[in-house]
Amino acid sequence: MNIKEFHRKKYEILQKFKGKKIGVLCGGTSREREVSIRSGNKVFSALKKIGLNAKLIIIEGDFVGEILKEKIDVAFVILHGKPGEDGKVQGFLELLKIPYTGSGVLASSCGMNKIISKKIFIASGIPTPPAVFIYRYENIEEKIKEIKKMGLPVIIKPKDEGSSIGVEIIREENNLKEIIKRKREEYRDIIVEKYIKGKIVTTGVLGTGKEAFALPVLELRPLKREFYDYYAKYTKGETEFIIPAELEKETYRKLQEYSVMAHRSLECKGFSRVDGVVSEKNEIYILEVNTLPGMTELSDLPAEAEKAGLSYEDLVLFILNTIFDENY
């Protein structure tokens, strides 16, 4: 369903959910808990505003008991990080036969795992920066040799964290071993990726399979930080948002195309946000797919949707309706 069709059928879509209890699942136990609660509160308010029966469920730890207790008919999942973005909650909801928004178990777990998703991008012909994967059991010295061949600077990331948590740029060779050891002790498996200097871009994707489409591309310019880190993401006034992104016409089109390809390659459902960078040589690189992107007042996806003609409430209803998508 495209945006024009959504507006034409909005009343009909709304009627599908009248009388159903919609549980907004947020919180969780990850480092993104507070952001998830902010997203959850915004989604909950939007559902109430459009006249639907919503219940805010802030997950504390025992998501099994907390979900069972509320006896919900539909779940709007907005849990950033674990246990919602890695597929655990989705698996439980499927066992209960509760329809839910967003990607399924496989797409969620693959999207959360930056190593697996990068391997899928490469196999799918999607441009992505070169990288070295360092698992907890591997020899660091051997991996450093691979990194040196790739060339510095590099950016180091945990395998399965979001919101730029644990991300660090390494410019000096003599810092490599110490930082890798520290990161692996904290996060176990890590990814060391070639740092691409350029424009930070992000593209929301709505829909599923053949009906998936890209929203306007958003360019992110941190005003005081070296890159788009956690502080720049969630602190008002720290980042300049440019929409549509200031890119050459063909680059812009190709970036949207690759973003939809990335969404489809992981078999994402309903909505996602694809992060990338356009180098100073105008080369496109896809970094990762966020299967449960932020929905706060500062988040990228709602801003992109608004530019495309969907208000925040419209976006929430659009996402809710994608539980019926079967277009893989």
Side-chain angles (χ1 to χ4, degrees), residues 13-30:
I13 293 167
L14 199 55
Q15 297 314 301
K16 289 182 192 176
F17 296 98
K18 288 284 186 182
K20 294 190 182 297
K21 187 177 182 182
I22 304 162
V24 179
L25 308 186
C26 64
T29 55
S30 80

Side-chain angles (χ1 to χ4, degrees), residues 28-268:
T29 55
S30 80
R31 299 182 191 207
E32 297 179 83
R33 173 181 169 79
E34 294 309 313
V35 179
S36 175
I37 291 171
R38 282 166 59 183
S39 289
N41 274 301
K42 282 283 289 182
V43 169
F44 171 73
S45 297
L47 290 169
K48 298 294 279 185
K49 190 173 179 180
I50 59 179
L52 294 179
N53 177 21
K55 171 69 178 179
L56 186 68
I57 304 172
I58 301 177
I59 302 296
E60 301 294 343
D62 174 24
F63 68 80
V64 173
E66 289 163 340
I67 293 170
L68 286 173
K69 182 180 71 175
E70 295 299 340
K71 295 182 171 55
I72 58 175
D73 300 305
V74 178
F76 196 114
V77 183
I78 201 68
L79 284 154
H80 309 320
K82 301 171 185 175
E85 207 161 358
D86 61 355
K88 291 187 181 73
V89 163
Q90 289 81 356
F92 177 63
L93 291 169
E94 289 192 12
L95 287 172
L96 294 178
K97 294 185 167 36
I98 295 174
Y100 58 88
T101 57
S103 295
V105 177
L106 181 62
S108 298
S109 58
C110 287
M112 188 76 184
N113 187 318
K114 293 179 177 66
I115 293 176
I116 296 298
S117 57
K118 184 173 277 286
K119 288 177 179 179
I120 291 171
F121 296 160
I122 293 166
S124 303
I126 297 165
T128 187
V132 173
F133 311 132
I134 307 177
Y135 292 97
R136 70 204 75 171
Y137 53 81
E138 291 187 300
N139 181 281
I140 290 178
E141 297 291 351
E142 290 301 314
K143 289 294 172 177
I144 286 174
K145 288 177 187 175
E146 291 183 44
I147 294 165
K148 286 178 181 177
K149 284 181 187 175
M150 186 168 65
L152 271 65
V154 294
I155 191 158
I156 191 164
K157 306 174 181 180
K159 178 185 74 176
D160 52 8
E161 290 284 353
S163 290
S164 298
I165 289 167
V167 176
E168 191 172 339
I169 297 173
I170 308 174
R171 299 187 182 277
E172 302 296 329
E173 200 175 288
N174 57 356
N175 293 333
L176 264 176
K177 188 173 182 180
E178 179 195 336
I179 295 173
I180 289 169
K181 282 180 71 176
R182 172 163 48 85
K183 294 291 182 184
R184 198 165 69 168
E185 281 170 13
E186 188 171 1
Y187 299 107
R188 305 181 79 184
D189 300 334
I190 56 176
I191 178 170
V192 180
E193 192 173 70
K194 180 70 177 171
Y195 175 63
I196 309 296
K197 188 177 181 183
K199 292 184 175 182
I200 305 162
V201 289
T202 184
T203 310
V205 179
L206 296 181
T208 306
K210 65 182 180 181
E211 292 195 358
F213 62 93
L215 291 171
V217 179
L218 175 63
E219 183 184 341
L220 302 145
R221 292 184 186 171
L223 299 175
K224 301 170 189 173
R225 317 292 281 191
E226 190 175 13
F227 67 99
Y228 192 47
D229 62 7
Y230 186 94
Y231 184 79
K233 283 181 178 180
Y234 301 113
T235 307
K236 193 171 184 179
E238 285 295 319
T239 301
E240 184 182 0
F241 298 88
I242 298 148
I243 185 166
E246 294 176 352
L247 299 169
E248 291 180 9
K249 189 175 180 180
E250 180 59 18
T251 304
Y252 189 99
R253 184 197 67 78
K254 200 70 182 171
L255 178 58
Q256 287 186 310
E257 183 182 312
Y258 282 135
S259 297
V260 173
M261 281 176 67
H263 177 91
R264 288 174 178 159
S265 73
L266 298 182
E267 297 191 354
C268 294

